[in-house]
Amino acid sequence: CDTFAGHAAVDADLDGEHAQEDKFADVSADEVRDYLDGESVEVVAGDIMETADRIPGGAIGFLHLDVDVYPPTKFCLDHFSSQMPVGSMIVVDDYGFVTCAGAKQAVDEFIDDHPNWRRLHLITGQALLVHTGASS
């Protein structure tokens, strides 16, 4: 899932440099489809906050988020976590980077609001969120 046109929504106070419209628009959905031809992958183009319902329902065991900015990070955590059973994991790619303060804030808010999830800050700059089922 990708916009293939840069970030659809940013929080100007948190997401700063990511507000550039064409910063992440250097590849098209068709190029990715061609590259992945023959794989059992569906490329979903568009704003994840508008296209999430195109993703089949059911349990999600692992989710990798690399959306850089606050609005889609918050949305994805809230939207997809309800489909994730105990033991499932989320990797948030940009958690520890100063250029991605919005992603960090969204993760921290999610952890504050969901006591059954634990956060590990990896040395790679990512956050690993684990659904423990425990509430404290």
Side-chain angles (χ1 to χ4, degrees):
C1 301
D2 200 306
T3 64
F4 298 98
H7 297 295
V10 298
D11 180 312
D13 293 331
L14 294 172
D15 300 322
E17 71 180 53
H18 290 283
Q20 299 171 1
E21 291 180 20
D22 62 350
K23 183 173 181 156
F24 296 100
D26 59 350
V27 68
S28 72
D30 288 336
E31 290 172 305
V32 172
R33 283 185 193 101
D34 289 345
Y35 178 77
L36 296 173
D37 187 36
E39 302 294 328
S40 47
V41 174
E42 178 186 353
V43 176
V44 178
D47 178 355
I48 189 66
M49 296 183 287
E50 296 173 2
T51 61
D53 291 336
R54 289 180 49 196
I55 299 169
I60 299 171
F62 179 79
L63 178 66
H64 181 262
L65 296 179
D66 185 7
V67 293
D68 300 342
V69 296
Y70 182 83
T73 303
K74 179 171 178 33
F75 171 83
C76 288
L77 290 170
D78 292 340
H79 182 82
F80 294 114
S81 65
S82 64
Q83 295 174 248
M84 302 186 79
V86 172
S88 59
M89 295 179 278
I90 302 172
V91 171
V92 181
D93 194 60
D94 301 295
Y95 179 78
F97 295 97
V98 296
T99 57
C100 298
K104 182 179 187 320
Q105 182 167 326
V107 168
D108 292 346
E109 290 173 359
F110 177 80
I111 291 298
D112 288 346
D113 294 340
H114 296 83
N116 55 339
W117 286 82
R118 298 292 182 269
R119 171 192 52 227
L120 301 167
H121 187 172
L122 306 178
I123 62 171
T124 58
Q126 300 165 314
L128 175 64
L129 310 181
V130 180
H131 188 196
T132 65
S135 61
S136 60

